[in-house]
Amino acid sequence: FYELQAAVFRAVGAGDWPWDRQLLLMRIVSALMTLPLVPCSVFATRRAGASRRMALAAGVLAFAVPQLAYVTASLNNDARGIGAGALCMAAVSAAIFGSGGWRTVGAAGLALGLGLWSKGTFIPMGLTVGLAFLVNVSGLTWRQRLVRAVSDGGIGVLTGGLWWVRNLVLFGLLHPAGYCSRSSSPRS
């Protein structure tokens, strides 16, 4: 999130701008990170079998979530987490109600990785995405569904979850306090 903000900041030459314009730019970039929310809500609702009208209503209802505008327009990594979560839920609906093919596995894994790269609170989404492939009723065998569930989790870990695996290996915790070294690990 912060690297992307910095890249946009540098790309438009905002270093000489007044601080309020700099802040506005970064808030706009933050809000744009949540753009997948509406189309992904529509897609997921439609994939679940709802009518076109109901799916469009679901897309609009995303704006009824309390504090959504505040959170998405403030400067924190929640905006990217919301956008990644929307992509994950679209992939989950494709995994449950679609063929559960390898393109869906790749899309779900990449969306999961983007979310894991954004926030540690995204870790439980891995279970949701994996279970989506397991409950797919498209005619795949139990083994095929299990391989797809594990594969999308692996893609997610490789593309965005290695930091959390590293913390578990080095410190025995997902989120150690401060700048811990190996010798000052909370477990030692």
Side-chain angles (χ1 to χ4, degrees), residues 55-186:
L56 292 173
V60 172
L61 282 174
F63 295 107
V65 174
Q67 294 293 313
L68 179 67
Y70 172 77
V71 169
T72 59
S74 61
L75 290 178
N76 61 52
N77 57 2
D78 289 340
R80 194 168 80 186
I82 290 169
L87 292 170
C88 260
M89 292 316 293
V92 161
S93 67
I96 293 173
F97 301 110
S99 67
W102 287 106
R103 279 185 17 192
T104 304
V105 170
L110 291 173
L112 179 61
L114 180 64
L116 290 171
W117 198 36
S118 304
K119 299 193 66 73
T121 55
F122 211 83
I123 292 170
M125 185 63 84
L127 181 62
T128 304
V129 174
L131 287 174
F133 284 95
L134 293 178
V135 300
N136 179 291
V137 291
S138 68
L140 296 172
T141 67
W142 173 251
R143 185 174 186 271
Q144 288 173 318
R145 290 181 289 169
L146 183 61
V147 167
R148 283 168 169 77
V150 170
S151 296
D152 82 45
I155 292 168
V157 168
L158 288 175
T159 58
L162 288 178
W163 175 260
W164 307 110
V165 172
R166 172 202 172 272
N167 286 348
L168 281 173
V169 169
L170 288 180
F171 306 112
L173 300 166
L174 284 174
H175 201 313
Y179 293 101
C180 293
S181 68
R182 192 175 192 121
S183 61
S184 66
S185 170

Side-chain angles (χ1 to χ4, degrees), residues 42-56 58:
V42 171
F43 174 84
T45 306
R46 192 77 169 125
R47 200 64 133 136
S51 69
R52 183 175 187 271
R53 181 177 289 170
M54 195 63 126
L56 292 173

